[in-house]
Amino acid sequence: MRVIGIDPGLRNMGWGVIDVAGSKVVHVANGVCKSTGTDLAARLLSLHAQLTDVIFTHNPQAAAVEQTFVNRDGAGTLKLGQARGIAMLVPAQAGLNVGEYAPNAVKKTVVGVGHADKTQVDHMVRMQLPGVQIAGPDAADALAIALCHAWHGRAAGRLDAALQKAGA
């Protein structure tokens, strides 16, 4: 299964694509969509177009997006939420199911600690995807989101198999 992880941001939207086959995970690609334009609508449109190209190019079968956390800056949180809307809309338009993960859940899954910093996330992504060249911190976060989705999918698959076996 091919998974795209998306780290929403209004200026920089990170993305990372991995292939998952059982316990084997392979890096496919990663990058950052950088918004252009002078107003919010133009910036959102540019993110939509760039992410649509990424989805079309890499043809993932599942998507995962990091949930937005609310901070003290209400206006900033709202703008991030609008970028997150683009991050969820584009895969949905491609017919993909979109998983959502809290930042602490992603960090706990990939690093083992829910309050890990960006350097720890980057390091563990590199450990799990040997030889990967990461396009920047937003792309590292996106790969971590994809890894989180893959891990949770494998765990759910094992649970389903165990339940089927118990019922048989």
Side-chain angles (χ1 to χ4, degrees):
M1 174 174 67
R2 182 162 284 187
V3 178
I4 183 168
I6 303 169
D7 181 33
L10 186 56
R11 285 194 177 95
N12 298 311
M13 183 175 291
W15 59 271
V17 180
I18 59 173
D19 279 338
V20 182
S23 62
K24 185 175 181 179
V25 179
V26 177
H27 172 261
V28 174
N30 71 86
V32 178
C33 300
K34 297 181 181 290
S35 66
T36 58
T38 56
D39 64 359
L40 180 60
R43 292 170 70 187
L44 292 171
L45 181 61
S46 74
L47 290 172
H48 183 278
Q50 292 172 64
L51 192 55
T52 298
D53 287 346
V54 170
I55 297 271
F56 180 76
T57 300
H58 297 289
N59 198 26
Q61 295 153 318
V65 176
E66 189 172 72
Q67 292 175 338
T68 304
F69 61 92
V70 178
N71 58 32
R72 292 182 202 150
D73 177 16
T77 301
L78 183 58
K79 288 178 183 176
L80 178 57
Q82 291 167 329
R84 187 171 176 274
I86 297 298
M88 295 184 72
L89 173 66
V90 171
Q93 285 178 320
L96 303 178
N97 289 327
V98 182
E100 299 178 69
Y101 299 94
N104 285 353
V106 173
K107 293 172 184 178
K108 183 141 180 93
T109 300
V110 175
V111 179
V113 179
H115 294 287
D117 63 29
K118 284 193 175 284
T119 58
Q120 290 172 304
V121 171
D122 183 277
H123 175 74
M124 290 308 294
V125 167
R126 291 175 191 276
M127 295 293 291
Q128 293 179 48
L129 301 170
V132 65
Q133 297 295 315
I134 299 176
D138 299 303
D141 288 350
L143 286 167
I145 294 160
L147 288 166
C148 178
H149 189 71
W151 189 89
H152 284 280
R154 285 195 309 260
R158 286 192 300 271
L159 177 60
D160 289 344
L163 290 172
Q164 285 180 345
K165 186 177 180 181

